[in-house]
Amino acid sequence: MNRYYLTTPIYYVNARPHLGHAYTTIVGDAVARWHRLLGHDVHFLTGTDEHGLKIQQAADAAGVAPQKFADDIAPLFEQAWQRLNISYTDFIRTTEQRHRAGVSKLLQACFDAGDIELDSYSGLYCVACEAYYTEEEAQNNICPIHKKPVDRVEEENYFFRLSRFEDRLLQWYADHAGAVVPEHRVNEVIGFIKQGLNDFSVSRKTLKWGIPLPFDKTHVAYVWFDALANYITALGYGSDDESLFQKYWPVNHHLIGKDILRFHCIYWPAMLMSAGIEPPKGWAVGGWLLVGGEKMSKTSGNVVDPLDLVDDVGVDAFRYYVLANTNYGNDGDFTFEGLIARYNSDLANNLGNLTSRIATVVEKKCNGLGTAPQHDSALASIAQQAVVAAGDHWENMQPSKALDATWSLIRATNAHLENHEPWKAEPGQTVDAVMGDALEALRIIAILAYPAMPDTAQEIWRRIGLTGEILDQRISTSGQWGGYVAGNAVLKGESLFPRRKV
Ligand code: MSP
């Protein structure tokens, strides 16, 4: 069976889960669910990033020990993901023992390869980024990302000899076209490598909150070295049982935000090459989800809690909105008005209306029993096109386009009903045929909508009289026209998406 390994970034525990974290994680969940429908053996990893100066400082400010601080925040991520119906296979915390063991092994492997060496360093550091900057990058000692003053640090540290990997990385990207999507991001990576790579420090002597280096316990590992390793430590790398690592590595896609591209596409493959481990197969780089056109921040007071929105519109409407409204890779913009507008147009007027219309007509004109689809229905080819297009878009990490393809089938099915007006006709063969086609289209729509809206899709499945779980359907067979069998009891239910006032 094809295996598919997908990861989200691991989130810093200095803040509660917000809309941006939720967006990245929902994209991951939908893609993971799509691959399950393809029959792939999916491993979907998320987690929390708990070491480093940023967390140490946040814990100090809260007046608690960093472990306690992390222990309080990490469950908020797990709870948020459960509420958002995130079907992760594993949740890793970097303070877990399994992670420490793997980080040690990776550090030791790079050290044994001669790529980690002691050196002294003086430079500029931004704690919010947990990253070093050159004088050129941090003009006037200001962080280019956070626009706040950077610290000058002088330390004796262990360094990873990233500069030795320039040619190998360039060669690797030349040999693996398409590994980074969207494609323009790889140019950014290559451009950065071509400017010349600086060695980076992989240890801290002044900080205690981290994983000690196996070859010098007076230092702890740099938080990014520690964090990146999660993608293999969660698979058991460095433990007694590395079978998951053997099975799932290299990862198919790391989902990341554009802010962490360099760490993932330069540091990480170089660290792996040094340790003799294969680089990732792919990276899917997302843009920013802005709020009302602005970056979310505590100071602007525009940080959106995804769970407030779930309380308001329901989990599937929220998931649908974030997936459909932003082209993955570009920046997107969240507004509450936009959420309600899409809710009313795409969910209430299109999907919800279609489901209730079908149930109403089948009840009135077909004795409440589903009828059979026509082999030569005009809807059949539209449905097949939607299945193929949605599949291509999910494959290319483009949920908004996959949903667009799905909604084109929803609109076509509504149009099919409007053209035939079965509600005006006498019961009989014609009505049965029209409704059989509509039921069959709705069956396929439920499957295609499932990655984005798992509960709604399953409810539609149940209402058209089908049994079992959509999760157990396979696109290769269930995605074919003609699967709906006549005679199922079709159920009317509450409106799936009652219209909302704007
Ligand atoms: N801990 C590091 C990642 C280590 S991965 C080995 C980190 N954490 S973070 O919590 O600050 O952000 C992680 C990711 O969350 C970002 O890369 C991005 O994918 C996502 N987002 C955070 N804010 C976001 C938006 N406003 N919009 C979209 N995604 C954003 O960096």
Side-chain angles (χ1 to χ4, degrees):
M1 193 194 286
N2 279 342
R3 84 214 195 344
Y4 184 78
Y5 179 31
L6 175 70
T7 65
T8 73
I10 49 171
Y11 303 106
Y12 284 130
V13 287
N14 67 328
R16 306 166 63 86
H18 63 54
L19 186 62
H21 305 133
Y23 171 60
T24 308
T25 311
I26 290 170
V27 169
D29 184 64
V31 169
R33 287 177 188 269
W34 176 260
H35 280 271
R36 292 190 185 108
L37 290 181
L38 291 176
H40 296 168
D41 171 359
V42 173
H43 197 79
F44 175 33
L45 175 70
T46 188
T48 43
D49 189 353
E50 306 189 0
H51 288 129
L53 190 54
K54 195 208 281 275
I55 307 304
Q56 171 79 62
Q57 288 182 350
D60 290 349
V64 294
Q67 185 65 61
K68 159 94 173 84
F69 187 79
D71 287 346
D72 287 345
I73 304 273
L76 301 182
F77 281 88
E78 289 181 83
Q79 287 155 18
W81 301 159
Q82 272 150 28
R83 191 79 204 292
L84 290 171
N85 220 344
I86 305 299
S87 59
Y88 56 79
T89 326
D90 195 1
F91 187 104
I92 186 153
R93 298 183 53 189
T94 55
T95 50
E96 286 174 63
Q97 184 50 41
R98 60 172 172 159
H99 179 68
R100 301 174 80 89
V103 170
S104 290
K105 179 168 173 177
L106 186 63
L107 280 161
Q108 189 68 52
C110 297
F111 185 74
D112 292 345
D115 292 321
I116 292 182
E117 290 167 335
L118 197 60
D119 210 337
S120 63
Y121 176 82
S122 150
L124 304 172
Y125 194 74
C126 170
V127 181
C129 296
E130 293 278 20
Y132 284 102
Y133 286 106
T134 60
E135 307 274 345
E136 219 179 6
E137 288 166 330
Q139 299 265 330
N140 302 320
N141 287 358
I142 297 294
C143 164
I145 309 268
H146 293 90
K147 316 286 180 217
K148 287 190 201 147
V150 289
D151 299 328
R152 178 162 295 281
V153 287
E154 258 192 82
E155 264 189 357
E156 187 168 69
N157 286 149
Y158 285 89
F159 278 76
F160 181 80
R161 297 296 183 206
L162 188 63
S163 52
R164 293 179 187 159
F165 289 83
E166 284 171 17
D167 292 344
R168 268 182 278 178
L169 286 170
L170 286 173
Q171 189 59 49
W172 194 89
Y173 281 109
D175 293 343
H176 296 83
V180 179
V181 290
E183 232 181 319
H184 68 267
R185 293 283 175 203
V186 81
N187 299 334
E188 215 174 293
V189 174
I190 289 169
F192 192 71
I193 301 171
K194 285 189 171 159
Q195 280 170 30
L197 297 176
N198 295 326
D199 297 340
F200 67 94
S201 150
V202 290
S203 75
R204 293 287 176 284
K205 201 162 184 172
T206 44
L207 180 71
K208 294 283 163 275
W209 183 234
I211 299 174
L213 301 187
F215 42 85
D216 184 345
K217 300 270 192 300
T218 64
H219 290 244
V220 299
Y222 170 44
V223 63
W224 269 102
F225 194 101
D226 168 337
L228 288 162
N230 92 87
Y231 302 127
I232 56 174
T233 63
L235 297 179
Y237 173 80
S239 75
D240 296 341
D241 179 4
E242 293 193 343
S243 55
L244 287 180
F245 175 62
Q246 307 299 348
K247 179 173 177 192
Y248 290 108
W249 194 261
V251 65
N252 296 75
H253 282 117
H254 285 313
L255 280 177
I256 56 171
K258 64 181 181 183
D259 51 324
I260 55 178
L261 182 71
R262 288 181 193 183
F263 293 108
H264 281 82
C265 295
I266 297 175
Y267 287 28
W268 179 227
M271 287 157 57
L272 291 165
M273 285 172 179
S274 168
I277 301 170
E278 259 187 83
K281 284 191 185 160
W283 296 259
V285 188
W288 286 107
L289 196 53
L290 305 171
V291 172
E294 283 181 44
K295 214 171 153 180
M296 265 182 285
S297 76
K298 280 188 198 149
T299 29
S300 332
N302 64 347
V303 178
V304 177
D305 183 337
L307 300 187
D308 290 345
L309 299 170
V310 170
D311 285 342
D312 196 354
V313 298
V315 63
D316 277 355
F318 172 65
R319 287 172 58 112
Y320 172 76
Y321 170 76
V322 293
L323 292 170
N325 204 52
T326 301
N327 285 329
Y328 189 76
N330 298 347
D331 286 349
D333 192 28
F334 170 85
T335 60
F336 189 71
E337 295 70 33
L339 167 65
I340 299 301
R342 255 190 195 272
Y343 175 99
N344 279 335
S345 64
D346 299 1
L347 302 181
N349 293 355
N350 268 303
L351 182 58
N353 189 27
L354 177 65
T355 309
S356 65
R357 264 174 159 179
I358 290 177
T360 305
V361 179
V362 171
E363 182 187 52
K364 290 206 176 119
K365 309 281 174 176
C366 315
N367 292 324
L369 298 177
T371 51
Q374 311 300 295
H375 292 297
D376 54 355
S377 165
L379 272 182
S381 60
I382 297 174
Q384 287 318 293
Q385 282 165 22
V387 171
V388 171
D392 287 348
H393 294 313
W394 284 117
E395 186 68 34
N396 296 326
M397 313 299 266
Q398 287 296 328
S400 60
K401 293 182 183 159
L403 292 172
D404 234 23
T406 305
W407 256 251
S408 67
L409 179 58
I410 296 175
R411 284 189 292 270
T413 311
N414 263 323
H416 160 86
L417 292 177
E418 273 146 28
N419 293 340
H420 292 93
E421 298 187 312
W423 42 83
K424 286 190 183 161
E426 288 305 314
Q429 257 182 7
T430 312
V431 171
D432 287 355
V434 169
M435 295 318 293
D437 289 351
L439 283 158
E440 171 60 350
L442 190 54
R443 183 188 70 82
I444 292 175
I445 289 163
I447 297 173
L448 295 182
Y450 169 81
M453 313 177 76
D455 289 345
T456 303
Q458 188 63 43
E459 174 61 10
I460 293 173
W461 193 256
R462 190 185 71 87
R463 287 192 190 184
I464 58 176
L466 299 172
T467 54
E469 302 283 322
I470 297 188
L471 181 60
D472 298 325
Q473 304 302 311
R474 294 294 166 260
I475 295 294
S476 54
T477 47
S478 307
Q480 302 287 331
W481 183 264
Y484 190 79
V485 181
N488 297 321
V490 173
L491 310 168
K492 266 179 79 173
E494 302 263 293
S495 169
L496 289 174
F497 300 102
R499 262 191 83 81
R500 297 264 316 222
K501 291 226 164 57
V502 183

